[in-house]
Amino acid sequence: IWIIYINHRLVQYLHRRLLPAGAALIEADDTSRLAQLAAQGWFTAKQTDELIRMAREKRRTAALVWLLRWKGEQYGFHDRDFSL
């Protein structure tokens, strides 16, 4: 039961500090952990855009590509017209 309590507290902490946690994972270019964090369903479209901005500014290509794919799958790119 102690482990469940610790995990619950960690999840609560990460949820409150989502952007700093995402920024640290972007800095490390750690796409597998970004995917784990995103799998919790916590990234809003606005937060995803902010994380994309961070990855672009820090020139973290793997994180940027992963976040762009995530945004495309989850929210789409409604602010862009890709028609030919």
Side-chain angles (χ1 to χ4, degrees), residues 21-77:
L25 295 174
I26 288 168
E27 186 66 36
D29 228 6
D30 191 341
T31 57
S32 64
R33 288 198 176 131
L34 269 173
Q36 290 175 359
L37 201 57
Q40 300 299 315
W42 296 337
F43 288 166
T44 65
K46 185 176 179 180
Q47 289 168 325
T48 302
D49 287 338
E50 180 64 20
L51 292 170
I52 288 169
R53 184 192 61 75
M54 286 182 204
R56 188 174 50 241
E57 287 176 358
K58 294 177 185 238
R59 296 189 168 119
R60 298 295 189 247
T61 307
L64 178 60
V65 168
W66 188 90
L67 287 162
L68 288 169
R69 284 185 182 155
W70 169 260
K71 180 180 178 178
E73 292 169 3
Q74 299 301 312
Y75 305 108
F77 292 92

Side-chain angles (χ1 to χ4, degrees), residues 1-8:
I1 206 158
W2 178 250
I3 293 173
I4 293 170
Y5 175 75
I6 291 172
N7 285 338
H8 179 71

